[in-house]
């Protein structure tokens, strides 16, 4: 039982929840369908995905907002919906936010040459897991609105383990000046463009410490020699040589995953 990819859209991947860039949206899709938190779904950047369901199922689309249709009729977002066999699902271009999340009752897996974390291709087969029940759970959740690409994204940051190696002016500029999300950003890191910070540390000993590989967690704000901060995202490496000057609040990190290249980003300092 499953579906066939008619058109893959841009950067559509089968991902486990810990791999997605907007974890709250994938979590919501699974909750709506009664799936376990570990159930994989699809992350679709900007839309363009077209699926044909071989067998009947149920689905939920969360995250970005745009025109989503099932057999040509508009499909409600953030809601579990039954899907008959042979139905065609289309995700139009996202108008708000960047990434749609598609959950299916029982979870999604790829078949053949497509593996988790690789972009889907036309003709790829998706298989669905066994649902844990037929009825949808009653879910009371606050309304989620996708990011407006015309408005700045504000995320809270606290001082990172190497923040003490920099003067107060560097921290002030990091957390008060506006940044722009660079088009060079990827799943490993959100690269911020703007007026470069002084990447030089305060002392020689600190410089030696800064060159040591730093253990990374998602949300780490690195300060490379370019002076342009990089926020580590879900695809980040385990370590990096650049110092970690700040850390994005865990609950705010999903906002970065929905921000678009060219969108303004503010890093707001919190204790």
């Amino acid at each position: 039982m499953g579906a066939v990819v008619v058109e893959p859209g841009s950067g559509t991947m089968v991902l486990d929840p810990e791999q997605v860039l907007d974890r709250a949206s994938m979590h919501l899709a699974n909750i709506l369908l009664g799936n376990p938190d570990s159930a994989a779904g699809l992350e679709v950047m900007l839309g363009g995905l077209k699926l044909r369901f071989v067998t009947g199922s149920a689905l939920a689309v969360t995250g970005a907002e745009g025109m989503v249709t099932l057999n040509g009729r508009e499909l409600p977002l953030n809601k579990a919906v039954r899907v008959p066999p042979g139905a065609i699902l289309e995700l139009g271009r996202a108008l708000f936010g960047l990434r749609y999340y598609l959950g299916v009752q029982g979870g999604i897996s790829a078949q053949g040459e497509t593996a988790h974390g690789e972009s889907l291709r036309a003709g790829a087969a998706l298989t669905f897991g066994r649902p844990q029940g037929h009825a949808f759970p009653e879910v009371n959740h606050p309304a989620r609105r996708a990011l407006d690409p015309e408005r700045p994204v504000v995320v809270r940051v606290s001082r990172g383990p190497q923040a003490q190696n920099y003067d107060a002016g560097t921290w002030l500029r990091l957390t008060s000046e506006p940044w722009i999300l660079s088009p060079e950003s990827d799943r490993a890191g959100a690269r911020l463009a703007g007026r470069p910070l002084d990447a030089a540390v305060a002392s020689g000993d600190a410089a030696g410490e800064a060159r040591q590989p730093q253990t990374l967690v998602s949300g780490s704000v690195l300060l490379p020699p370019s002076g342009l901060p990089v926020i580590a995202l879900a695809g980040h490496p385990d370590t990096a040589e650049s110092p970690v000057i700040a850390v994005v609040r865990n609950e705010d990190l999903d906002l970065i995953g929905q921000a678009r290249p060219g969108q303004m980003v503010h890093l707001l300092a919190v204790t």
Side-chain angles (χ1 to χ4, degrees):
M1 59 186 298
V4 174
V5 178
V6 179
E7 297 175 12
S10 175
T12 299
M13 293 180 284
V14 180
L15 295 173
D16 293 322
E18 67 271 13
Q19 297 173 308
V20 304
L21 297 191
D22 179 359
R23 300 155 301 170
S25 290
M26 188 70 255
H27 177 68
L28 174 59
N30 279 328
I31 286 180
L32 291 169
L33 294 164
N35 289 342
D37 285 342
S38 58
L42 294 184
E43 182 180 88
V44 186
M45 189 166 67
L46 282 176
L49 174 68
K50 186 174 183 179
L51 289 182
R52 178 174 59 84
F53 283 76
V54 178
T55 56
S57 187
L59 62 81
V61 179
T62 62
E65 294 180 12
M67 179 60 73
V68 178
T69 62
L70 186 68
N71 287 338
R73 293 187 175 184
E74 186 173 359
L75 185 81
L77 303 177
N78 303 315
K79 183 178 179 180
V81 178
R82 297 285 181 194
V83 183
I88 300 293
L89 175 74
E90 295 187 65
L91 274 61
R93 182 173 178 81
L95 302 177
F96 296 89
L98 183 68
R99 294 175 168 90
Y100 290 103
Y101 289 89
L102 171 62
V104 171
Q105 201 168 32
I108 300 176
S109 63
Q111 279 187 331
E113 299 178 357
T114 304
H116 283 209
E118 296 182 2
S119 295
L120 293 181
R121 294 182 293 182
L126 302 174
T127 58
F128 305 153
R130 184 181 298 276
Q132 294 190 345
H134 295 289
F136 300 139
E138 291 187 9
V139 178
N140 294 317
H141 63 88
R144 300 194 74 238
R145 294 306 309 268
L147 290 181
D148 184 341
E150 302 299 324
R151 297 174 64 90
V153 178
V154 179
V155 297
R156 295 165 292 178
V157 297
S158 56
R159 292 178 182 271
Q162 282 77 50
Q164 71 274 10
N165 296 339
Y166 297 87
D167 60 30
T170 300
W171 178 257
L172 180 63
R173 287 192 51 214
L174 174 72
T175 57
S176 62
E177 295 188 4
W179 301 97
I180 300 296
L181 186 63
S182 169
E184 296 181 0
S185 301
D186 54 25
R187 295 188 58 77
R191 301 179 182 275
L192 303 183
R195 191 160 67 100
L197 301 173
D198 183 2
V201 293
S203 70
D205 290 342
E209 176 188 343
R211 285 193 294 268
Q212 297 298 318
Q214 310 295 321
T215 300
L216 286 188
V217 297
S218 293
S220 297
V221 182
L222 303 166
L223 186 57
S226 67
L228 298 175
V230 179
I231 303 173
L233 300 179
H236 67 77
D238 293 334
T239 61
E241 291 189 2
S242 296
V244 177
I245 191 173
V247 180
V248 175
R249 281 279 184 94
N250 184 59
E251 56 267 37
D252 290 355
L253 190 56
D254 293 330
L255 297 175
I256 297 295
Q258 288 290 4
R260 298 189 180 196
Q263 194 161 357
M264 187 175 292
V265 176
H266 289 289
L267 304 180
L268 178 65
V270 294
T271 56

